[in-house]
Amino acid sequence: MADLKERLLPPKPASAINVREAVNNRPSASGRVPFQGVDVLGLKKRGQGLRSWIRVDSSGNSQIIEIDKFTVMRRCDLPARDLRLLDPLFVYPSTILGREKAIVVNLEQIRCIITAEEVLLLNSLDSYVLQYVVELQRRLKTTGVDEVWQNDGNHGADLNRRRGSRNFDNLFANTTSPDYLPFEFRALEVALEAACTFLDSQAAELEIEAYPLLDELTSKISTLNLERVRRLKSRLVALTRRVQKVRDEIEQLMDDDGDMAEMYLTEKKMRMESFVYGDQSVTGYRPIDGASISAPVSPVSSPPETRKLEKSLSIARSRHESMRSSESATESIEELEMLLEAYFVVIDSTLNKLTSLKEYIDDTEDFINIQLDNVRNQLIQFELLLTTATFVVAIFGVVAGIFGMNFEIPMFGNPDAFKWVLLITGVSGIIIFSAFVWFFRYKRLMPL
């Protein structure tokens, strides 16, 4: 990975290293660190407008190019609002846009422009971007080796065929086999795989951290554990929102056949080239006898049977071309739909993990609330018993207040009178307290 960084990234001047590190490490106003590995100081030079891009061609070769925004717009035929989605200084939701000559991909850390011939990524030190470049190069070179091996294996069989059977239709049928994917689809597949892997790894880390913390919270309810769970739930909500956005974006593409057909850049390029070559062949044709092709043909010089035959051949050829293009478009949509469906299943599985984790957190919160309600009920029951006991003790105060009046009665001369008053008052208090307890249990205000 270190060799790849040295090979992909241009050397920095020694005088600018400290300044750029200070700017990159300084947090923004919201407390978030800017996009990792991006030369923010260079990005803020709006006067120059040059940005460093990593270019990967269809052969798997990569190089560093520095071009401005308007050159990218002309090169990829993109509007300015699409390039804003790739700006690392701003946070945009995950988006996949199909344009006339390019596909704009903004999936988590992967922000790139995919054309029929190359992939342009913002030059970054982020590990996921470098892994994307390495994986794309590996797949492109591996695919090239496989094609050479298949061509060598089929060379002997092609020699035994007649030359008349090797027409353009057979070649087109071989290139549109289910195992073949155009360059833009392979680059898009690597981007989807990188985004799904990144989100799934974050979901796995969250699961590893969440379950022990929730189990600890159920056994010991404390302010520290509650604060940790609150932070965990905030991270879970943010990650779920990002995963849901990627899932919705893939689902939206799968539901719209027009957007999927728009993303087949190689086919559109081949049609454009064939159209241009066809116009050149028509304009460059000259008859042998020197007659001009634009001159009208006399109906006397050409027999009616020949004109009818040419007209029927032209109609049949046009129908064949339209049927072939429609079949190719349907097959390309099916290929892209199968590709998107595969990663839709992956991202949906990640979303199900996060949903299960959220449900587990909700169940833990419900369990904690039940425990707190139980403790609250116990406190209320204890308060009820304490209030009843206070009422019983207050009876002794009433009796003492009555006998404390300043008057004389014959009972004061009896030495056993105090004992009898104390005994009768205590028994009465016990009876009253027992009656209250029985009443509470009868009304189910206290557990039996």
Side-chain angles (χ1 to χ4, degrees), residues 327-342:
E327 291 177 357
S328 174
T330 304
E331 186 175 358
S332 67
I333 291 175
E334 292 178 355
E335 291 176 359
L336 181 57
E337 187 175 6
M338 292 174 62
L339 174 64
L340 295 175
E341 185 177 358

Side-chain angles (χ1 to χ4, degrees), residues 282 285-287 289-299 301-302:
V282 170
Y285 174 75
R286 293 293 183 273
D289 55 356
S292 174
I293 192 171
S294 61
V297 180
S298 174
S301 61
S302 59

Side-chain angles (χ1 to χ4, degrees), residues 161-168 170:
R161 297 178 184 177
R162 293 183 299 175
R163 293 184 178 178
S165 62
R166 292 182 298 175
N167 52 11
F168 181 76
N170 292 333

